[in-house]
Amino acid sequence: MATLEHTIASHASDVNWVAFSSTVLASCSGDKTVRLWEVGTWAELPCSPLLGHSYPVHCCCFSSFGTQLATCSTDGTINLWGSKSGQRLTTLAHPRNNGMRTVSFSPDSNVLVAGSVDGTLVLWDAYTKEMLSPQGLGPHGPAVVIEAHDTSICACAFTPDGNFLLSGSMEGNMKLWDGRYGNNKCLYYLAEGHDLGVTCCVFSPTFGSANPDNPVPETQPRMQYFMLASCGADMLVKLWDVHVSPGYDMRLRVNLQGHSATVNACAFSPDGKRLASGSVDRAAIVWNPLTGEKLYMLTGHPRCVTTVAFSLDGMYLATGCMDRTVRIWRLVDGPAVIPVQGASKTESQTEMLVDVQDAATPIKAQQTTEAAQPKRKPLSDWSVEEVCSWLREKGLEHHVETFRENEIDGNELKQLTNETLSKDLGIAALGQRNKILRGIKALQESESSSTSGQAQANLAALASALPPQLMQNLPALVSTFAPSLMANMAQSAGPTVTASKGATPQASSDDKVPDEYLCPISREIMVDPVIASDGYTYERKSIESWLQKGKMTSPMTNALLPNMNLTPNRMLKMLIQRHFGSQ
C-alpha cells in the first residue's frame, strides 16, 4: 500500500521540483532556494538551504552518482552544487540570459542540457563546463544554441544510453536530437504530442534497448527502441515507443486516463515497473506502465501537485505541491498493495503491450466482446443526425445541439476549419476544436485509404480478366494511370490545421475559479496573461498600469525588476479558455 510517512513544510513558496540521490532528497521552490534532506530521517542537512539564484528555481537534478546537483532558474543560470557539502561549484549562464525551465544530466553525467523559455536548448560538457558544439567542445568548433522550439521548453530527457535527447514545448510538439552534441538538427518531429503543451517527459530505465537482457528480434538485429512517458495540459499521460534504429520514429502505445486536469509531472521508478504522475487536480497516481493499470491514487494535497520522484530504492515517492510542502509516501509492493477503487485498464488496452522481460514479444491483449465497427458510408453522404452521432462517439456530445442548429451535414463537416469552429459555431476551447479537426482528418484519411484499397482490388480484378497478350502491357498501364490515382487520393486528404486565438473567457459569479487563473494584482480572471521578468504571470493591463506608475519592483517579491519585458503566457491563456469553454 502507499502510506504518507512525512511532510516537509519549509519552503516559503510553491515547490517546483524534487529529485533523489541515494542519500539525499532535493527540493527547489519559487522562494529562490534549494533545500536538501536526508533520505529516511527527512532531516534537513546542515548546509541547507542552498542560496544562489535571484529568481524562482524551476528544476533540479542529480548526476548519476549523486555527487553533483544542478538547478536552473528564471534568472537565466544553472548552478552546480556539491550534493554533500552544499558548496556552489560553478554557475553556467544561458548565452542570451534567458530564463531556464528544465535541466537534466545525461546518464553518464558527461553532458548537461537545459531548456529555455525562448525555445532554445543549450548543452554543456559537465566536466569542462564549456558549451558543446556540433564538432565537439567549444575550442574545437563554434558553440551553438539549438533553436529547438517556437515556445518555452518545459520538458527534456535523455534516452537511457545517452545517445539521444527528446524535448517538449508549450505548443505540444516533441523533437528528437543528438544527445552528444545536439548538432542543431532535429532527427524526428512529432507535431501533436499533447494538446495545449507538454509539461514533462521521461524515458523508462529498463524497457526495450535500455535493458541489455531484453531479446532483439532476429529479423531486426539492429533495432533500438525505448519507452517514453510524457504528460501535458490535455489531462493525459502518454506512453510512446521511440525507435532510434533503423530510422527514427515515435508511436503512441497507450493513453493513461485518470487525471481531471493538467498533468504537471511524471517519473518512472528505478526498476521501470511503476510510473507516477502529479496533476493540477491535486492528486498523484501510480501506474503500471506495462499494462496501463492504475495501481493507486495519492490524495490529500490541498493544491496542485507540481512534481513527483521515486527514491533510488523504489521505497519512497516524493510529491511536491503548490501549498509549499513536499509529501513523502512509503510504497510497499506485493500482496499488500491496495488497488485504487474502480481501477481498470485504459481505453487502449487492446494495443500492443510489451513485458519488460520479453520486450520483443507482444503480450496478447484480452479479447473484447465489442462488435466490429460497421463500414461507414462516404462522409459526403452523412446527414445532420449522423454527424451528431459521430460527435457523441468522440465524446463531444455537448456540441451536438450547436451542429444540429447550424445544419452541419457531412459536406459541411468536411469544410470546417479552426476559424469557423471558433467564430461561427462559438467553440471557444482550443482543445475541443483540435479534437474535432483531428477527427475530421481521420475520417477523410480512412475514406481515402478505403478508396485506395478498392482501387487496388479493381486493378487486381482487371488484371485477372486481361488476355495473356495484354498482361505484358500491364506495367505500362499502371505507370500511366497511377499518378492521377495518387493525385485524386491527395485531394481527399484533410487540410492542415492551424490554431487561432480563442474567445475571451466569461465566468458567472458562482464559478469556482482556480487561483492560478487570477491576476495577482487585480485578483480578476486573466484575459491576456503575460510573464514579467520576476517570473510571475499577470494580466497585461494590470502589470502595464503598475509599470506606468513608475513602480520598478515586482508586485510579488518587491525586488527590483531586471527589465520591463513582458512575455505572453500562451499556455495559461489556452488553459483559461479551455476551463471556461467547457462550462
Side-chain angles (χ1 to χ4, degrees):
M1 65 176 66
T3 57
L4 180 62
E5 177 162 306
H6 189 75
T7 300
I8 296 170
S10 296
H11 283 290
S13 186
D14 305 348
V15 176
N16 292 327
W17 205 265
V18 290
F20 277 99
S21 72
S22 58
T23 58
V24 177
L25 169 68
S27 59
C28 62
S29 167
D31 63 9
K32 312 175 193 177
T33 70
V34 181
R35 293 182 180 268
L36 304 180
W37 318 88
E38 183 180 28
V39 173
T41 67
W42 313 116
E44 188 164 11
L45 299 187
C47 61
S48 179
L50 309 183
L51 305 176
H53 288 291
S54 56
Y55 288 96
V57 187
H58 291 294
C59 184
C60 61
C61 66
F62 284 99
S63 60
S64 55
F65 292 104
T67 56
Q68 295 187 65
L69 175 70
T71 59
C72 70
S73 166
T74 305
D75 62 16
T77 66
I78 292 175
N79 282 332
L80 290 179
W81 313 83
S83 59
K84 291 184 178 180
S85 66
Q87 178 183 358
R88 181 161 52 176
L89 306 177
T90 190
T91 297
L92 307 173
H94 190 285
R96 301 174 185 172
N97 297 319
N98 287 316
M100 288 180 275
R101 295 293 304 272
T102 179
V103 63
S104 180
F105 279 102
S106 63
D108 59 8
S109 297
N110 288 334
V111 179
L112 187 68
V113 65
S116 173
V117 296
D118 67 347
T120 59
L121 286 172
V122 185
L123 282 76
W124 286 271
D125 183 289
Y127 292 98
T128 65
K129 312 303 186 289
E130 294 174 332
M131 283 181 59
L132 294 177
S133 72
Q135 290 76 32
L137 301 183
H140 304 289
V144 295
V145 173
I146 301 174
E147 304 290 348
H149 297 272
D150 294 330
T151 57
S152 178
I153 297 175
C154 299
C156 62
F158 283 94
T159 54
D161 61 3
N163 290 330
F164 301 94
L165 170 69
L166 190 130
S167 60
S169 80
M170 288 176 60
E171 283 185 323
N173 53 48
M174 293 190 281
K175 295 183 179 182
L176 188 68
W177 309 88
D178 182 333
R180 299 298 181 183
Y181 304 114
N183 284 338
N184 210 11
K185 179 183 178 182
C186 177
L187 303 176
Y188 185 82
Y189 173 64
L190 182 68
E192 295 184 355
H194 288 270
D195 287 348
L196 307 182
V198 180
T199 54
C200 186
C201 64
V202 61
F203 282 95
S204 166
T206 58
F207 184 87
S209 302
N211 187 346
D213 296 329
N214 282 337
V216 177
E218 295 181 0
T219 56
Q220 292 183 291
R222 295 178 54 210
M223 186 173 72
Q224 282 187 290
Y225 61 102
F226 304 95
M227 179 194 285
L228 175 79
S230 66
C231 56
D234 54 5
M235 303 184 289
L236 295 174
V237 179
K238 296 187 177 185
L239 296 180
W240 308 83
D241 283 328
V242 180
H243 290 256
V244 296
S245 178
Y248 305 107
D249 191 18
M250 285 183 65
R251 303 172 188 172
L252 179 64
R253 292 173 58 82
V254 66
N255 288 329
L256 302 182
Q257 297 180 327
H259 288 292
S260 59
T262 296
V263 186
N264 289 322
C266 57
F268 278 102
S269 61
D271 62 6
K273 294 182 179 179
R274 288 174 294 187
L275 174 69
S277 58
S279 169
V280 174
D281 64 10
R282 307 177 186 181
I285 296 177
V286 179
W287 313 81
N288 181 334
L290 304 178
T291 64
E293 290 178 308
K294 221 188 284 185
L295 297 179
Y296 27 84
M297 179 177 287
L298 310 179
T299 58
H301 303 86
R303 297 191 67 188
C304 308
V305 178
T306 54
T307 177
V308 293
F310 285 95
S311 61
L312 298 193
D313 59 5
M315 184 180 297
Y316 301 105
L317 177 70
T319 57
C321 183
M322 288 185 70
D323 68 348
R324 310 175 184 180
T325 67
V326 178
R327 285 171 168 76
I328 312 297
W329 306 83
R330 178 183 284 271
L331 306 178
V332 180
D333 279 337
V337 171
I338 300 177
V340 66
Q341 292 296 321
S344 61
K345 297 202 176 196
T346 63
E347 63 177 0
S348 303
Q349 70 176 29
T350 57
E351 297 181 5
M352 185 178 75
L353 300 175
V354 181
D355 192 340
V356 71
Q357 299 299 327
D358 189 10
T361 306
I363 297 174
K364 188 175 181 181
Q366 293 181 355
Q367 294 183 349
T368 62
T369 57
E370 186 177 347
Q373 291 293 324
K375 184 177 179 181
R376 294 185 186 274
K377 61 183 179 181
L379 187 57
S380 301
D381 296 337
W382 282 20
S383 66
V384 173
E385 287 306 315
E386 286 170 322
V387 171
C388 292
S389 296
W390 173 77
L391 286 173
R392 295 187 188 96
E393 291 176 11
K394 303 292 291 183
L396 299 164
E397 55 275 355
H398 45 291
H399 297 307
V400 165
E401 288 305 317
T402 300
F403 274 62
R404 184 179 286 119
E405 290 172 3
N406 288 273
E407 299 183 355
I408 306 297
D409 58 14
N411 273 321
E412 293 299 326
L413 187 67
K414 292 167 62 175
Q415 305 303 318
L416 290 180
T417 65
N418 196 62
E419 185 176 2
T420 56
L421 287 171
S422 174
K423 294 182 178 180
D424 298 334
L425 298 184
I427 301 176
L430 178 62
Q432 297 284 303
R433 299 199 301 270
N434 284 344
K435 189 171 184 179
I436 292 171
L437 291 171
R438 283 198 303 272
I440 296 171
K441 184 177 180 180
L443 287 172
Q444 292 174 323
E445 289 177 347
S446 175
E447 197 169 279
S448 174
S449 176
S450 175
T451 302
S452 174
Q454 185 60 47
Q456 291 179 6
N458 291 342
L459 282 173
L462 175 63
S464 63
L466 286 174
Q469 61 269 28
L470 292 181
M471 283 295 292
Q472 61 184 359
N473 295 325
L474 187 59
L477 291 171
V478 172
S479 64
T480 300
F481 293 105
S484 61
L485 175 62
M486 295 303 294
N488 290 335
M489 290 171 60
Q491 289 178 359
S492 65
T496 301
V497 179
T498 56
S500 65
K501 295 182 179 179
T504 301
Q506 299 292 332
S508 60
S509 58
D510 60 347
D511 279 334
K512 294 182 179 179
V513 182
D515 189 64
E516 294 77 20
Y517 298 169
L518 303 178
C519 173
I521 299 175
S522 66
R523 300 302 296 169
E524 295 180 352
I525 300 168
M526 288 183 280
V527 176
D528 187 10
V530 293
I531 304 171
S533 58
D534 61 356
Y536 289 92
T537 298
Y538 307 92
E539 169 61 33
R540 182 183 292 276
K541 291 182 180 179
S542 298
I543 189 64
E544 286 180 345
S545 176
W546 174 277
L547 298 174
Q548 289 168 2
K549 292 177 182 178
K551 298 179 180 180
M552 299 294 105
T553 57
S554 166
M556 297 296 289
T557 67
N558 206 34
L560 186 66
L561 292 170
N563 57 64
M564 303 298 112
N565 295 338
L566 301 176
T567 305
N569 192 334
R570 296 185 180 89
M571 181 178 181
L572 181 59
K573 184 174 182 178
M574 288 188 288
L575 288 174
I576 295 172
Q577 292 172 347
R578 177 175 182 168
H579 175 81
F580 292 105
S582 62
Q583 292 184 356

